[in-house]
Amino acid sequence: MSMLKKLMVGGALAVSVGALADEVPPPLPVEPVGIIESLPARYPADWFLIQDGAFFHMSDGKVIVIDPTQEGVGDQVKGMFNVSLMGNIMQAPGRGEIYATETFHSRGTRGPRIDVLSIWDMENLSAVGEVILPQGKRFMGMPAREVMHLLNNDKWLAIFNLSPATSVTLVDLDTREIVSEVPTPGCSHIYPAGDMAFTSVCADGRFTTTHLTADGEVKERTRSDVFFDSDETPIFERPAIIDGMAYFPSFKGMLYPVDLSGDVAVPQEPWSIAGDIEGEWAASGIRISDEDSSGAMYLLMNPEAANTDGKHNEGGPEVWVFDPGTQTLLRRIALQEWGLSIAVSRGPDPKMLVTNPVDMSVELYDATTGDFIRKLSDIGQETPLYLYPAL
Amino acid sequence: MSLLDRIFEKQARQVAQQSSRRGMLKKLGGALVGAAAVPLLPVARADNHAAPAKPVEEGDDTSCDYWRYCAIDGFLCSCCGGSANTCPPGTEMSPVTWIGTCHNPADGRNYVISYNDCCGKSGCGACLCMRDEGDRPPYRPDKTNDINWCLGTSSASYHCSTAVVVGVAFEE
């Protein structure tokens, strides 16, 4: 509407309102301009972060902060921040920050490249700092939570590199400077191993734990026994981790408990996830595992994957919930349609969010009862590949 | 780069539920996985004494079913202005790749296939194809398709994936 028309309409309204002055409420007050919302310093337990990798235009990836327990999009969407070119994120609520590895070219898809660690402030979803990373090294692949990890009393951030040579870059989060780059030859990803060490999974079928000096250099490497064959009996690199125990599903439907609490990772006896249950069940999908505050483990399961190579990324129709310590199947949650990634909220009343790849929506379930709650399909998402509970 | 065919299109889910085609491919893939090896190592170059005067292969290279795509996960360059073994105009082929071993039904041989990505433009968006046979997690970089293989290129922007024959696989 043109300004002139607006003025004319406004004048007409003023006349008619004046004629009915005794019957209408007072006009709305003039409102301040320029107000920007903010979020609570600690996100509520029912909130989630949806990582939309923008698979068809990856330099425009983003993360949407949502409360899926609300009914309308106005109450569901809390905010958003960008993560360029298949980046990865990690929440650090103790520091009030979210870290994101990103890559940019000066002219969009071309021009000089820069890799950065972006530091987002959780309250304002503002980029409050960055650290320039070594060019062309940071892991750039499907989103994963096994590529960043806090060390040294949350002072250092460890970032996994795959170029395809593998290493870990240590960043001092206080000074926002790089501490060191630690080679991890033949080994990938980052799993907890105490305050000054991290564990990686290796191509030769074992784990290596890298112990660090106060300067961020390699102090010692310890290695577990070989316990899987990366050709014939591969494990997923995506475990659930509960009380220092990591539970790695295998492509063939086994679960490998690995004790990460000591100086060296200790694989324990694997067990069949499905046991006597009919079908060729195995974990499948992108984010295939999570855990809740009670210590239960959640696995996204596919009934045709255990004996058929190539089905490990497809996702599945059910989520199975285990007490992994006693190897007890607590419940099977049948999804509405299909799941690609799952995440479970923390707190006493956990909710489960699931990416439905059929229509690229996300769906909310009561994680305790398995009841479907609602579908969220119009929250600005395109390819919600990875989900995180708010921490 | 990787992903998710079933995942973006309803037809993809139907594909996954149709065990006939995928089942056949999976059995094939299962037989072949392990016949592959580290890039450039157990590769026998074309045999000059082979009988056929002209090498043979059959199929539609814009179809996800095409024999070379057994371990692929990405947009098919054949649908993007390139071909099964060439990049579209104005892109750059990644010099480092992941590999698979695929069976050519037209001549009965297994071939080592190098899935070089084409880089420098945003995602092609056409013919997304995920077969994943023999795909392994990133702790096996030589066999993983879940990372962006626009490595060693001037641009990290993933556009599409090729499937280049780099040799005949040794029989085990």
Side-chain angles (χ1 to χ4, degrees):
Chain A
M1 187 184 288
S2 72
M3 183 57 72
L4 180 58
K5 284 183 180 174
K6 286 179 184 171
L7 288 172
M8 292 173 69
V9 171
L13 282 174
V15 170
S16 76
V17 168
L20 302 170
D22 295 339
E23 301 172 21
V24 298
L28 294 171
V30 174
E31 296 172 344
V33 174
I35 293 178
I36 311 294
E37 299 283 353
S38 62
L39 302 177
R42 193 71 185 255
Y43 295 169
D46 286 338
W47 287 21
F48 288 83
L49 280 66
I50 297 175
Q51 184 165 4
D52 189 328
F55 193 75
F56 292 85
H57 44 101
M58 296 175 184
S59 59
D60 195 28
K62 62 185 178 182
V63 174
I64 307 168
V65 181
I66 63 160
D67 179 356
T69 64
Q70 301 298 314
E71 288 200 4
V73 65
D75 291 322
Q76 289 165 347
V77 175
K78 300 301 178 187
M80 183 272 274
F81 59 96
N82 293 102
V83 179
S84 178
L85 252 182
M86 300 305 277
N88 276 280
I89 64 166
M90 196 194 75
Q91 303 167 73
R95 300 185 66 97
E97 293 172 339
I98 298 172
Y99 306 109
T101 54
E102 299 188 88
T103 296
F104 301 92
H105 288 281
S106 65
R107 289 166 182 77
T109 57
R110 55 196 167 84
R113 168 177 174 164
I114 188 169
D115 296 270
V116 302
L117 174 72
S118 299
I119 301 172
W120 296 88
D121 124 54
M122 294 181 72
E123 274 190 78
N124 296 297
L125 294 183
S126 297
V128 294
E130 69 176 23
V131 179
I132 307 299
L133 297 174
Q135 184 174 310
K137 290 190 174 182
R138 65 102 173 163
F139 174 81
M140 186 188 296
M142 294 308 297
R145 59 173 175 162
E146 297 82 16
V147 298
M148 283 192 275
H149 179 62
L150 290 173
L151 292 169
N152 195 6
N153 197 26
D154 292 355
K155 177 179 167 67
W156 292 351
L157 179 68
I159 302 170
F160 173 53
N161 299 317
L162 193 159
S163 66
T166 50
S167 64
V168 167
T169 292
L170 297 176
V171 170
D172 186 319
L173 294 171
D174 291 339
T175 63
R176 294 177 179 168
E177 294 175 340
I178 289 178
V179 177
S180 64
E181 180 179 337
V182 179
T184 59
C187 304
S188 295
H189 300 289
I190 304 170
Y191 307 102
D195 201 38
M196 290 296 283
F198 61 88
T199 291
S200 306
V201 59
C202 307
D204 63 359
R206 58 183 172 174
F207 288 97
T208 292
T209 300
T210 303
H211 301 263
L212 302 167
T213 67
D215 297 327
E217 302 299 329
V218 178
K219 180 180 178 184
E220 181 187 12
R221 289 191 178 94
T222 53
R223 293 181 171 85
S224 77
D225 295 334
V226 173
F227 72 100
F228 72 97
D229 182 320
S230 60
D231 278 315
E232 301 300 326
T233 56
I235 61 170
F236 286 96
E237 77 281 22
R238 294 162 258 168
I241 301 179
I242 301 166
D243 295 332
M245 287 291 294
Y247 299 93
F248 287 84
S250 81
F251 281 25
K252 297 193 173 186
M254 302 295 287
L255 193 74
Y256 290 77
V258 180
D259 186 348
L260 298 177
S261 63
D263 288 340
V264 60
V266 181
Q268 301 182 349
E269 197 63 29
W271 47 278
S272 168
I273 295 171
D276 297 331
I277 296 172
E278 186 179 354
E280 297 179 357
W281 290 94
S284 179
I286 297 179
R287 180 159 186 180
I288 55 173
S289 64
D290 205 350
E291 54 277 339
D292 68 19
S293 298
S294 75
M297 174 182 70
Y298 295 71
L299 294 177
L300 179 58
M301 298 292 290
N302 182 310
E304 300 176 348
N307 295 315
T308 307
D309 199 352
K311 283 189 169 289
H312 50 282
N313 287 331
E314 291 186 348
E318 292 190 21
V319 173
W320 292 9
V321 188
F322 284 91
D323 177 343
T326 62
Q327 304 179 13
T328 306
L329 176 60
L330 302 174
R331 53 193 175 275
R332 294 168 65 174
I333 300 175
L335 302 177
Q336 293 287 299
E337 205 160 18
W338 197 264
L340 178 65
S341 284
I342 62 171
V344 181
S345 64
R346 305 301 184 247
D349 183 23
K351 307 292 191 303
M352 180 173 72
L353 197 65
V354 179
T355 297
N356 180 346
V358 179
D359 60 2
M360 281 296 162
S361 66
V362 292
E363 294 170 345
L364 186 70
Y365 296 77
D366 184 309
T368 306
T369 64
D371 292 340
F372 172 71
I373 299 175
R374 68 174 51 84
K375 175 192 287 281
L376 290 76
S377 56
D378 193 19
I379 52 172
Q381 90 291 354
E382 288 177 284
T383 51
L385 302 179
Y386 207 86
L387 309 170
Y388 292 88
L391 298 181
Chain B
M1 179 83 199
S2 75
L3 246 237
L4 319 173
D5 61 2
R6 56 171 307 125
I7 292 166
F8 287 104
E9 299 287 346
K10 289 186 178 178
Q11 67 182 46
R13 185 160 182 240
Q14 293 165 357
V15 166
Q17 291 172 339
Q18 293 166 357
S19 59
S20 56
R21 187 193 72 166
R22 293 186 69 93
M24 181 272 290
L25 293 169
K26 294 301 192 273
K27 287 173 187 168
L28 195 57
L32 298 178
V33 169
V38 178
L40 304 181
L41 289 180
V43 173
R45 295 296 169 187
D47 184 348
N48 292 331
H49 302 291
K54 198 172 179 181
V56 291
E57 57 180 328
E58 297 171 352
D60 176 4
D61 69 0
T62 65
S63 169
C64 193
D65 285 337
Y66 188 53
W67 72 274
R68 296 185 184 204
Y69 300 147
C70 72
I72 209 167
D73 192 352
F75 302 115
L76 303 178
C77 289
S78 305
C79 303
C80 308
S83 71
N85 57 14
T86 61
C87 283
T91 60
E92 181 183 7
M93 187 178 280
S94 172
V96 289
T97 71
W98 86 99
I99 60 156
T101 302
C102 300
H103 181 73
N104 178 8
D107 70 2
R109 293 187 178 91
N110 295 337
Y111 289 86
V112 177
I113 306 295
S114 178
Y115 296 101
N116 300 65
D117 283 348
C118 303
C119 312
K121 301 187 178 182
S122 64
C124 159
C127 298
L128 184 61
C129 173
M130 182 178 78
R131 297 264 294 270
D132 278 345
E133 295 153 32
D135 167 56
R136 294 293 177 262
Y139 58 73
R140 282 294 304 270
D142 57 312
K143 286 190 160 189
T144 194
N145 65 25
D146 270 352
I147 66 170
N148 181 357
W149 278 101
C150 288
L151 299 169
T153 48
S154 60
S155 171
S157 187
Y158 168 75
H159 185 62
C160 64
S161 298
T162 63
V164 183
V165 172
V166 294
V168 178
F170 279 136
E171 298 298 329
E172 281 193 316

